[in-house]
Amino acid sequence: MSDATPSPLVLGAMMFGTTVDEATSFALLDRFVERGGVWIDTADCYAFWASADGRGGGSERVLGRWLAARPGVRARVRIATKLGAEPIEPGSWPARREGLSAAAVHDAFAGSLDRLGIDRVDLLWLHQEDRSVPIEETVEALAGLAADRFGVSNFPAWLVERGRAHARAIGATPFDALQLNASYLRPRPGTLPPGVVHRFGVLSDEQADHAAEHGMDVWAYTPLLSGAYDNPEKVIPEVYDHPGNTARLAALDAVAAETGAARGQVVLAWLLSRGLRPMLGGSKLHQLDAALDGVALQLTPRQLERLDEPDRYEWADPYAGR
């Protein structure tokens, strides 16, 4: 393993152990670390929808075997996993899933540590909200777990802050990270992009503002629209077809031409300029290399201004002069 400059890219291991075989998974993990990758993201439910038995755990098991086969690598990487979305029985998601009760949290986390073969994780995510359980109960369950940090994925901002407030009240570690879908293009209001199955799964201006105000990390999943920015065999999903994105695509094409980079690489660099940490869930080495090159791309202030221009607006105080 080399001493490459640490990369801000997150390697998403969602399909490891199901549609991505173990040899390919190991090759991707090795290349990621060789090129300075640090954060690896998985979940206890990955990938139940693609597994032979309808259950998750395959991704964590592959990661556990890779960690065991690479002595010393654990000190070089940070492991993030999620809980709360594993179906109770095969085929029962989303009606019946493990959820976020205290008992479910403790059982799920113990299972994750066993599959990963480690005694601690660097970041533990709540995968999706569970309104059948008070967030206070979940926060109290997290307080005693062997995790350095806690984050939430696919939660509304108000519920995140309610959980953070309770953690502070009991002297526990508050959530300090969000994981949401985000890209350069924005979906039409009231729609969800393909693959986003949670009501609050797409990063909103309110969630972004909440995170910035409280110094929370934001991880962006599916930032490359599953390859649609650059793969001619894939079309940009219909939810992104609106006038605002016409201007964004024009700006993206112009900056990509100036830099000589692919559109997806420019998207990754732009996300970083916004303080968002992009996640890659690819299955091929060339995709990983391209993404690592993208997050290393340095855009000029003028290029960033051009990319941001479609989102600019002038705010007028309705009470000014009264």
Side-chain angles (χ1 to χ4, degrees):
M1 303 296 178
S2 72
D3 293 321
T5 301
S7 173
L9 185 74
V10 177
L11 180 61
M14 178 188 289
M15 306 312 296
F16 290 7
T18 49
T19 61
V20 181
D21 63 42
E22 187 155 321
T24 303
S25 300
F26 276 36
L28 288 164
L29 289 159
D30 288 343
R31 179 70 62 84
F32 182 65
V33 176
E34 287 166 5
R35 294 203 52 187
V38 176
W39 278 104
I40 302 167
D41 183 79
T42 185
D44 67 345
C45 72
Y46 289 164
F48 70 81
W49 57 93
S51 68
D53 62 2
R55 294 191 178 279
S59 174
E60 290 181 331
R61 291 188 187 95
V62 167
L63 282 173
R65 290 193 288 271
W66 176 75
L67 290 168
R70 303 289 189 269
V73 77
R74 178 68 182 99
R76 302 175 63 92
V77 298
R78 295 180 182 176
I79 303 297
T81 194
K82 310 181 200 68
L83 55 79
E86 170 74 351
I88 294 176
E89 304 95 14
S92 69
W93 192 93
R96 284 174 53 78
R97 55 186 174 86
E98 63 189 11
L100 299 177
S101 70
V105 165
H106 285 113
D107 289 348
F109 187 63
S112 288
L113 291 182
D114 181 63
R115 287 185 291 272
L116 289 164
I118 57 181
D119 59 10
R120 189 172 195 87
V121 299
D122 301 283
L123 175 54
L124 178 62
W125 300 97
L126 304 182
H127 207 153
Q128 61 186 102
E129 63 172 329
D130 178 6
R131 297 200 188 181
S132 71
V133 177
I135 191 64
E136 292 80 6
E137 176 182 337
T138 305
V139 167
E140 289 169 15
L142 295 175
L145 300 186
D148 293 335
R149 299 170 57 194
F150 300 100
V152 293
S153 183
N154 310 302
F155 269 57
W158 69 266
L159 190 56
V160 177
E161 191 54 32
R162 180 169 145 185
R164 281 168 46 83
H166 188 64
R168 291 191 297 268
I170 64 172
T173 302
F175 305 132
D176 70 354
L178 306 178
Q179 186 176 144
L180 297 156
N181 170 261
S183 185
Y184 178 60
L185 298 184
R186 293 189 174 202
R188 289 195 312 273
T191 66
L192 292 177
V196 179
V197 297
H198 309 285
R199 180 183 175 192
F200 298 102
V202 178
L203 178 66
S204 68
D205 288 343
E206 182 179 15
Q207 288 165 320
D209 184 60
H210 171 236
E213 182 70 19
H214 295 286
M216 302 174 70
D217 287 346
V218 181
W219 292 19
Y221 67 76
T222 325
L224 299 181
L225 311 187
S226 300
Y229 281 113
D230 295 303
N231 188 339
E233 296 182 359
K234 294 186 176 183
V235 298
I236 292 175
E238 191 267 339
V239 297
Y240 296 103
D241 184 10
H242 59 83
N245 280 340
T246 301
R248 290 187 183 91
L249 281 172
L252 182 59
D253 285 337
V255 173
E258 287 179 8
T259 61
R263 292 200 300 189
Q265 291 176 317
V266 174
V267 169
L268 295 176
W270 177 84
L271 286 168
L272 282 173
S273 79
R274 289 292 186 95
L276 308 179
R277 186 186 291 269
M279 307 174 70
L280 179 77
S283 60
K284 298 178 175 62
L285 286 175
H286 73 84
Q287 295 170 332
L288 175 58
D289 282 330
L292 288 163
D293 291 342
V295 295
L297 178 66
Q298 296 294 314
L299 299 176
T300 67
R302 175 59 189 134
Q303 288 166 343
L304 289 172
E305 182 180 353
R306 188 167 193 172
L307 291 167
D308 290 339
E309 191 65 37
D311 287 332
R312 294 185 185 280
Y313 63 92
E314 295 295 329
W315 181 79
D317 184 350
Y319 299 102
R322 293 191 182 183

